[in-house]
Amino acid sequence: VKRIYDSNIVQTLIAVSILLNFFMNAAQAEVNPVEPSYEYDLFNIFDNFFTHLFGVELAINLFSNWFWDFVEDGWSVFDLCVVSVSYLSMFFDAPGFSHLRLMRAFRVMRLFGRLQSLRQIINSLTSSIVPVMNAFLIMFLVMAIYAILGVSFFKDRNEEYFGTFTKAMFTLFQVS
C-alpha cells in the first residue's frame, strides 16, 4: 500500500484534487451563494465530495505510513488537522463550527507537503523567520529612539503627531 500511495501517479492525482478543491473554494468565495439556492447546494456537494475524498486519502496515508511515520511527518499531521476540522464543520452546523469551514482554504497548503520543490521553499521561509524577526526588532528599536526624540523635540509644536510615544511611533511608521 505504501509503494502505491507514494507513487508519482497517486501523488499527482492528490495534488490535482487539492488544486481543484482550491479553485472550487475560490469560485465559491467569488460567487458567495446564499443558502437557499442552487449554487449553494452545488458548492456544498463539491465541498462534501472533496472532504470525503481527502478523508479517504488521509486514511490510506495513515494506513501506509502507520502511526509513528505518520505522526513524525508534520505535513501528515497538518493534513489530519485540516481534514478533521472539515469533518467537524460538516457534521456540526452550530454557529461556532460554521467559522471552522474557513479552514478549508488551507487545504491547498497540503500541496507544499506533496511537492518537494514547494517543500524546500516553505522550509527556507520558515528557517528565515528568526533572522527576519531580528531585523524587525532592530528597526523597531531605531524607530523607538527616533520616536522618543520626536516627542522631546516636537510635542509642543505638533501635539497631534508627536504628543506621545505611541503617536510618534505611528507617525514614523506612516512616514517610513
Side-chain angles (χ1 to χ4, degrees):
V1 173
K2 182 173 177 50
R3 191 181 73 211
I4 295 170
Y5 178 76
D6 289 337
S7 70
N8 285 336
I9 294 171
V10 172
Q11 292 302 312
T12 302
L13 286 173
I14 293 169
V16 167
S17 299
I18 292 169
L19 280 175
L20 286 173
N21 178 247
F22 177 72
F23 289 130
M24 288 302 299
N25 284 335
Q28 183 178 10
E30 180 66 28
V31 173
N32 201 10
V34 292
E35 189 160 344
S37 69
Y38 172 75
E39 292 86 7
Y40 181 84
D41 294 336
L42 182 67
F43 282 119
N44 200 24
I45 288 169
F46 277 117
D47 184 48
N48 290 339
F49 168 75
F50 281 115
T51 299
H52 291 306
L53 179 72
F54 293 139
V56 168
E57 182 264 332
L58 183 69
I60 294 170
N61 184 8
L62 180 60
F63 180 73
S64 66
N65 289 310
W66 203 222
F67 189 73
W68 287 114
D69 291 336
F70 182 86
V71 171
E72 287 176 349
D73 182 23
W75 292 106
S76 294
V77 173
F78 180 75
D79 286 351
L80 177 68
C81 291
V82 170
V83 172
S84 298
V85 166
S86 295
Y87 273 119
L88 281 174
S89 67
M90 191 168 73
F91 291 124
F92 297 108
D93 201 20
F97 286 104
S98 63
H99 293 292
L100 291 177
R101 294 179 72 87
L102 296 174
M103 189 76 168
R104 295 174 308 162
F106 289 104
R107 284 180 182 164
V108 75
M109 297 281 291
R110 299 173 69 217
L111 279 179
F112 299 141
R114 300 276 179 244
L115 303 174
Q116 184 62 29
S117 59
L118 291 177
R119 190 183 300 193
Q120 287 175 335
I121 292 170
I122 292 298
N123 289 340
S124 298
L125 287 173
T126 55
S127 66
S128 69
I129 289 175
V130 172
V132 168
M133 291 305 292
N134 288 335
F136 279 133
L137 178 65
I138 290 170
M139 287 176 27
F140 175 79
L141 291 175
V142 169
M143 281 182 60
I145 290 169
Y146 281 106
I148 292 169
L149 291 174
V151 170
S152 298
F153 291 137
F154 302 118
K155 71 177 174 185
D156 295 330
R157 291 188 194 161
N158 199 337
E159 177 80 23
E160 181 181 357
Y161 295 115
F162 293 100
T164 64
F165 174 76
T166 54
K167 288 180 182 178
M169 280 293 284
F170 184 67
T171 300
L172 291 175
F173 176 74
Q174 286 180 323
V175 170
S176 65

